[in-house]
Amino acid sequence: QVQLVESGGGLVQAGGSLRLSCAASGRTFSSYTMAWFRQAPGKERDFVAALSWRGGRTYYTDSVKGRFTISRDNAKNTVYLQMNSLNPEDTAVYYCAASESVGATTTAAYHYWGQGSQVTVSS
C-alpha cells in the first residue's frame, strides 16, 4: 500500500516562507516522479513542481519559478517544497503526488496522492 503524508502547511503573511514535507512509504520510489499540486477554492488542481527521483531533474510552473524549490531526502524517502516570497495567490490546498511517468505535470499521470495540506497567505 502506497502512502504519501504531507505536513508543514499553515498561515503566513505575504512575503513569508513555508516548507511542505511529503513522506513516502509502501514501496521504492527510486524510479518515480514526485510532484506538488495545489487547488484553490472553486478551481482545478494545478501543477506546481515536480522532481525526478532518479535523476533529480526539476520542473516548475511559471508562477512559482524563482520562489519555490522542490527537493528530496533519499534517506528519509521525503520530498520537500520550500516556498518563499509567498503571496495571497498561493493560497490553496497543496497535494503531494507520485507518478511512474518521467517529468509528468498533469493530474492524470499521478496515481498516488497525499491528503493535502492547507497553505493560507494573508495580505
Side-chain angles (χ1 to χ4, degrees):
Q1 192 77 356
V2 175
Q3 282 193 323
L4 301 174
V5 179
E6 300 123 340
S7 60
L11 173 65
V12 65
Q13 288 188 331
S17 300
L18 281 175
R19 188 178 79 159
L20 301 178
S21 301
C22 173
S25 63
R27 64 186 305 168
T28 301
F29 286 87
S30 60
S31 60
Y32 279 63
T33 298
M34 301 296 295
W36 290 95
F37 288 77
R38 65 185 179 186
Q39 188 167 18
K43 296 187 177 181
E44 294 184 350
R45 191 170 297 186
D46 292 329
F47 170 78
V48 176
L51 179 145
S52 172
W53 199 278
R54 176 169 289 174
R57 183 173 179 178
T58 56
Y59 311 81
Y60 296 96
T61 192
D62 287 344
S63 63
V64 307
K65 286 180 180 177
R67 301 190 298 124
F68 291 11
T69 302
I70 188 170
S71 62
R72 70 181 189 267
D73 183 330
N74 290 343
K76 296 181 179 180
N77 229 23
T78 299
V79 174
Y80 303 98
L81 184 68
Q82 177 66 43
M83 303 183 292
N84 298 329
S85 301
L86 286 161
N87 59 63
E89 290 71 36
D90 295 316
T91 295
V93 177
Y94 283 70
Y95 295 91
C96 176
S99 171
E100 298 180 22
S101 301
V102 176
T105 61
T106 62
T107 56
Y110 287 81
H111 301 108
Y112 306 107
W113 294 87
Q115 80 283 1
S117 183
Q118 177 69 47
V119 171
T120 304
V121 184
S122 63
S123 57

